[in-house]
Amino acid sequence: MRLRLLLFAVGILGLSVWATSATADPTAGPPICSSAGTALSGSYPSLTVTGNAYVPAGDTLTVGRNLTLTPGSCLDAFSLSTVKVGGDVLVGRTATLALGCSPGALGPPIPQPPCGVTTTTDWVGGSILADRALTMYLTDVTVRGSVVSIGGGPGRTLNPYINFPIKENTIGGNLIVE
């Protein structure tokens, strides 16, 4: 009897895992963070990310002043979401920032991001400043200030030959990656 109950429980668990994977969000792109973490959307005067977080596809995250990623944290906004930051984005040691999206951003043979033919409209009113970040994905983001990354890497990236994919951006100040 115990064996039957165990087999039944394993079967139900397997079915629920299959059902969950079969109904996964088709707009979800390759995972950036080690786990999804907390969903972020809405408006905040300022925001500090600890742990893993993401902005769901179709949602908007608006931060009036600074967006801070604490050491070791991860923010995945590499999707059909919109992120607007009025101040600076501060990326702490070993943190990961994924912001923006554009069609064909990764190119073959790397899996494509979930933007399809759409380009995001993410923007930062200040600068993006990274202190030994693990990695940053910045694709088609408008930054009114500078993008400065000192030290850091080599983080897990979708392309093992690129540690800091920063491309197709409009940067009003300087781009410094050291």
Side-chain angles (χ1 to χ4, degrees):
M1 182 66 171
R2 281 186 171 175
L3 181 59
R4 276 189 178 173
L5 283 174
L6 179 64
L7 290 174
F8 178 74
V10 169
I12 293 297
L13 179 64
L15 210 81
S16 67
V17 169
W18 174 79
T20 302
S21 65
T23 59
D25 181 3
T27 62
I32 302 296
C33 304
S34 60
S35 66
T38 304
L40 295 174
S41 63
S43 295
Y44 301 85
S46 61
L47 180 64
T48 299
V49 174
T50 59
N52 293 340
Y54 69 100
V55 181
D59 284 4
T60 299
L61 173 64
T62 304
V63 181
R65 292 185 296 277
N66 292 343
L67 169 63
T68 302
L69 278 69
T70 61
S73 65
C74 180
L75 176 62
D76 185 355
F78 194 56
S79 66
L80 282 177
S81 59
T82 301
V83 177
K84 299 176 180 181
V85 179
D88 295 328
V89 176
L90 308 169
V91 184
R93 180 186 301 189
T94 67
T96 298
L97 172 65
L99 189 61
C101 203
S102 74
L106 300 175
I110 307 302
Q112 295 300 303
C115 6
V117 296
T118 305
T119 299
T120 60
T121 56
D122 296 349
W123 61 266
V124 176
S127 296
I128 298 177
L129 306 170
D131 174 25
R132 295 169 278 178
L134 192 60
T135 191
M136 292 194 304
Y137 298 87
L138 302 178
T139 302
D140 203 26
V141 178
T142 298
V143 181
R144 291 195 177 135
S146 297
V147 174
V148 179
S149 179
I150 305 299
R156 176 182 171 273
T157 63
L158 301 175
N159 184 335
Y161 303 105
I162 303 173
N163 285 322
F164 285 82
I166 299 174
K167 55 191 170 232
E168 301 174 20
N169 300 293
T170 300
I171 300 171
N174 296 312
L175 171 62
I176 301 169
V177 179
E178 181 181 313

